[in-house]
Amino acid sequence: MPPTVLKSTIDSRIREMAMQALMQGRLQASDLDAWSKTTREELEPEARRSIRAWYLIQKIGKKEKIFATESDVAARITEIARQEGRTPTQIREALLEKDAMDDVRASVLERKVRKFLRDKAEIADGKAAANGGE
């Protein structure tokens, strides 16, 4: 795993968490450096798992020709809008403002790959698995 990918993933998550904590008054600006260091250490294992999972999802998607189409993204935006009681246009504008459209595409791809895997999964009972699938 490229160290730059890991670092940028953790940095992004720390920024999100810090902004929320500061806005909610759970964190003071003077404590930010110490909090960031501790949080970075806590987030690293989770970030590693998340990145590995994402690489695997991308690889499966590519191999199986599973893509997040514009139609899929539009449907997801409509779903989010319905959940939040807003219009799809409002959601799309908010996502564009936050530069988060790639996150929506990634989410759609992940959902589609996970559905593909569930549909293709074969459940073996414990006895058959223990006997080498006989």
Side-chain angles (χ1 to χ4, degrees):
M1 172 180 322
T4 55
V5 172
L6 180 61
K7 182 181 181 324
S8 68
T9 299
I10 294 172
D11 287 349
S12 175
R13 184 69 179 123
I14 285 175
R15 278 192 302 275
E16 290 172 16
M17 292 172 67
M19 184 64 69
Q20 286 179 345
L22 287 166
M23 289 173 55
Q24 294 172 352
R26 295 182 288 119
L27 178 65
Q28 299 298 317
S30 58
D31 300 328
L32 190 57
D33 288 339
W35 176 88
S36 293
K37 183 179 180 192
T38 302
T39 303
R40 176 176 301 284
E41 292 168 3
E42 292 170 1
L43 288 177
E44 187 171 336
E46 175 190 332
R48 285 183 184 280
R49 280 190 303 278
S50 176
I51 293 165
R52 282 188 193 111
W54 177 242
Y55 281 136
L56 186 58
I57 285 168
Q58 285 183 311
K59 190 170 187 168
I60 292 168
K62 188 174 184 176
K63 181 180 183 293
E64 299 298 330
K65 296 178 177 48
I66 301 170
F67 305 100
T69 65
E70 287 307 312
S71 158
D72 296 329
V73 171
R76 179 66 181 128
I77 289 171
T78 299
E79 181 182 338
I80 294 167
R82 212 171 315 134
Q83 291 170 350
E84 295 187 9
R86 297 168 64 192
T87 67
T89 300
Q90 289 171 321
I91 297 298
R92 183 177 293 279
E93 287 173 357
L95 291 167
L96 288 169
E97 184 179 308
K98 294 178 184 176
D99 198 25
M101 288 300 288
D102 285 341
D103 295 339
V104 174
R105 282 185 194 88
S107 169
V108 168
L109 176 62
E110 182 175 354
R111 279 181 166 193
K112 290 176 80 172
V113 168
R114 287 180 185 273
K115 181 182 182 320
F116 167 80
L117 292 173
R118 277 191 308 276
D119 291 348
K120 294 293 182 185
E122 293 182 19
I123 307 300
D125 66 20
K127 189 191 304 184
N131 292 327
E134 296 174 7

